[in-house]
Amino acid sequence: MLETTRLYLRKMTREDLPDLKEILQDRETMYAYEGPFSDEETQAWLENQFKRYQEPGMGLMAVVLKETGEMGQCGLTWQKAGEQGTVMEVGYLFKRKHWHHGYATEAAQACRDYAFDVLKAPRIYSIIRDTNIASQNVARRNGMTITGQLVKHYRGVTMPHLLFSVDNPNL
């Protein structure tokens, strides 16, 4: 578990499904994914995190607001990034009512520090749809700059993405 001033980050559990649905089934929150997830897609998302926790040992975490106990998600995952190959990515998704409070930045910075200080990762990435300005701003506040681009195909849509990255200053 990681802790920041306002947040706890821990592995998700089955009890987190209602909060996860509130995130993944919100049309505006999920516009970068071409719309909200169904119940089945949300359940599959959660199951995928459980698999990630086992192998390779990291995944999106529940980000619990200390003040309210409500949940967002942020964590480290392995992602395919075009010519870069497979990269360690910090990703984040929060309920709309928690946008513009700095929670995503605070959680992403905690994950960055964990990746650099504990995992000794030489570089981390965030792969962000080119239209997702809010997530791009979080990446910038996490010390990242644009270092590439790629195209993903999801739900029948061609989606340009920007690769943000930052190098481990301790290596």
Side-chain angles (χ1 to χ4, degrees), residues 53-64:
Y53 299 154
Q54 299 302 313
E55 182 65 37
M58 60 184 165
L60 294 174
M61 310 278 283
V63 178
V64 181

Side-chain angles (χ1 to χ4, degrees), residues 14 37 78 89 92 96 110 118 121 128 138 155 165 168:
R14 297 202 185 287
F37 282 16
W78 291 106
E89 182 196 30
Y92 33 86
R96 227 176 333 130
V118 177
I128 303 170
V138 170
R155 292 185 167 182
S165 68
N168 187 335

Side-chain angles (χ1 to χ4, degrees), residues 129-148:
R129 193 160 177 189
D130 66 341
T131 56
N132 192 342
I133 303 305
S135 285
Q136 292 175 31
N137 288 336
V138 170
R140 287 184 179 96
R141 287 190 293 273
N142 204 13
M144 297 180 166
T145 58
I146 298 172
T147 55

Side-chain angles (χ1 to χ4, degrees), residues 78-139:
W78 291 106
Q79 298 290 333
K80 292 180 182 170
E83 295 175 5
Q84 301 295 325
T86 301
V87 300
M88 185 181 294
E89 182 196 30
V90 59
Y92 33 86
L93 276 169
F94 283 80
K95 296 174 186 176
R96 227 176 333 130
K97 66 182 176 181
H98 295 139
W99 291 0
H100 309 295
H101 296 283
Y103 299 132
T105 298
E106 191 172 327
Q109 288 172 346
C111 289
R112 175 202 62 205
D113 294 347
Y114 179 81
F116 288 164
D117 299 340
V118 177
L119 302 177
K120 305 297 184 204
R123 174 182 273 195
I124 60 166
Y125 291 79
S126 284
I127 304 167
I128 303 170
R129 193 160 177 189
D130 66 341
T131 56
N132 192 342
I133 303 305
S135 285
Q136 292 175 31
N137 288 336
V138 170

Side-chain angles (χ1 to χ4, degrees), residues 24-94:
L24 298 180
Q25 294 183 340
D26 180 79
R27 180 169 303 284
E28 190 173 342
T29 299
M30 297 302 290
Y31 83 93
Y33 288 81
E34 285 301 309
F37 282 16
S38 66
D39 283 345
E40 294 78 18
E41 289 169 318
T42 303
Q43 183 67 47
W45 181 278
L46 182 60
E47 296 297 328
N48 191 40
Q49 300 320 309
F50 296 155
K51 289 177 189 169
R52 285 177 167 164
Y53 299 154
Q54 299 302 313
E55 182 65 37
M58 60 184 165
L60 294 174
M61 310 278 283
V63 178
V64 181
L65 281 60
K66 290 179 180 178
E67 187 175 304
T68 66
E70 292 183 275
M71 186 195 102
Q73 59 180 335
C74 182
L76 299 166
T77 60
W78 291 106
Q79 298 290 333
K80 292 180 182 170
E83 295 175 5
Q84 301 295 325
T86 301
V87 300
M88 185 181 294
E89 182 196 30
V90 59
Y92 33 86
L93 276 169
F94 283 80

